[in-house]
Amino acid sequence: MKIALVKEIEVGENRVALIPDTVARLVKQGLEIWVETGAGEGAFFSDRAYEEAGAQLSSDTAMLWGDSDVVLKVSLPKEQEINQMREGTTLISFLNPLGKPELVQQLANCKVTAFGMELIPRTSRAQSMDALSSQAGVAGYKAVLIAAAALPKFFPMLTTAAGTIKPAKVFVIGAGVAGLQAIATARRLGAVVEAFDIRPAVKEEVQSLGARFVEVTLDEDTVAEGGYAKEVSEASKQRTQELIAEHVQQADIVITTAQVPGKKAPLLVSEEMVQQMKPGSVIVDLAAEQGGNCAGTEAGKDVVRHGVTIIGPINLPSSMPVNASQMYAKNISTLLQYLIKEGQLQLNFDDDIIASTCITHGGEILNQRVKDVLAQMSAAV
Ligand code: NAD
């Protein structure tokens, strides 16, 4: 079976789907790995390292896309890439199926079997394939470093001959994967950290990282299937808003990471809250690409509102491509090995990992949510 690792062409994407170490492991298992020349360049993995790991190099992009059984990738494929694929080829990549359902339609039209890495279920069985988590951890870490660099203050408490400096106060909203890594990083830098989440189950994890958990008691269940948060009622929103306002006002840095899968990010930090923060404070809104948790966030930009810098970073994992690629490579190679039995891809749709991750097969879209979004789109035309 021929597996192709292609070069990312998305502007700003430095990650690569396999690193030389993972290639060596796959080659040892008898898989034939082809690597596009320069594929690892953005993440500092040389062609030579892939060759030494047992891969075959090629600069023939059309051959790699058109002549392989499986194509591995990080960011969404472009139309011209999909058009080069032959029927029956398997593509494994991030695909943003709910945000870009038209891309899924194109994959189905080309009869490609597509696996969306963002659809790996968050179960313990699939943990080592969970690319959303591995990449969110990178984002949570980097968000704090960005905030620290933008803050006109120290993070740790300092006792010096020139006086005592108070530690910075960090407030993290949303204590999922990115939020927990942000808490841990801010604590390591010496800040005093508070965190809020509508899922009470995260309290212990927050506390074990040395942060204070800001608690709210709501009259409804906030956890959906799979342990993710669900959208809450207007009354609950009102109560959480009041609590958030109190803590935002006291913070030097606010890191927002709140999301409900498949929904627009909840707006949690209002313009009024921003206005009440101390000038010089910093907000890093990790949900910028989903519409933002903060009023005034602009994806990919830094804006200053009422003396507060609001940063809306996009694709932070790409800014740490070495480890982000290393973790993604582990995720994607584990899925690949899971799909291959006796040297062939075996798709058992009764298996929950395969059923939830495979979006298109045999010309059909398999994911009901994507079908619903496409139906809504065509009804609106
Ligand atoms: P996650 O699902 O693990 O965590 C999100 C957390 O938000 C959950 O704990 C959930 O309970 C909480 N939440 C939901 N609604 C809330 C509310 N109303 N109030 C308080 N908490 C609420 O998600 P994650 O993997 O940690 O990702 C977090 C965010 O970071 C997402 O928006 C994701 O897209 C984004 N992200 C951004 C980048 C980037 O480069 N900018 C990279 C990776 C992830």
Side-chain angles (χ1 to χ4, degrees), residues 281-348:
S281 303
V282 175
I283 298 173
V284 179
D285 190 345
L286 278 189
E289 271 173 289
Q290 287 79 42
N293 291 140
C294 176
T297 296
E298 288 182 39
K301 290 197 181 148
D302 298 1
V303 293
V304 179
R305 295 260 190 282
H306 313 291
V308 175
T309 305
I310 306 172
I311 303 172
I314 50 171
N315 200 1
L316 282 181
S318 175
S319 70
M320 294 193 42
V322 175
N323 294 134
S325 301
Q326 180 189 346
M327 292 192 276
Y328 186 79
K330 168 76 183 170
N331 301 142
I332 204 165
S333 62
T334 310
L335 175 62
L336 185 64
Q337 286 164 291
Y338 189 75
L339 298 175
I340 297 175
K341 307 263 178 322
E342 290 158 15
Q344 293 301 318
L345 281 175
Q346 308 259 333
L347 304 187
N348 168 14

Side-chain angles (χ1 to χ4, degrees), residues 122 132 135-136 139 173-179 196-199 228-229 257-260 266 268 286-287 289-290 313-317:
R122 270 192 181 166
L132 268 191
Q135 305 304 297
I173 305 177
V177 182
F196 171 73
D197 197 294
I198 42 164
R199 289 182 304 125
Y228 282 103
T257 80
Q259 71 159 357
V260 175
L268 300 173
L286 278 189
E289 271 173 289
Q290 287 79 42
I314 50 171
N315 200 1
L316 282 181

Side-chain angles (χ1 to χ4, degrees), residues 2 9 33 47-48 63 72 89 94 106 136 140 154-155 177 204 233-234 252 268 286 288 292 336 345 372 381:
K2 186 169 170 182
I9 56 170
I33 312 281
D47 287 344
R48 198 166 159 191
M63 180 279 284
L72 304 178
T89 308
F94 278 125
Q106 199 195 342
F154 279 112
F155 253 48
V177 182
E204 271 177 36
S233 67
E234 281 308 314
D252 297 300
L268 300 173
L286 278 189
L336 185 64
L345 281 175
D372 293 345
V381 174

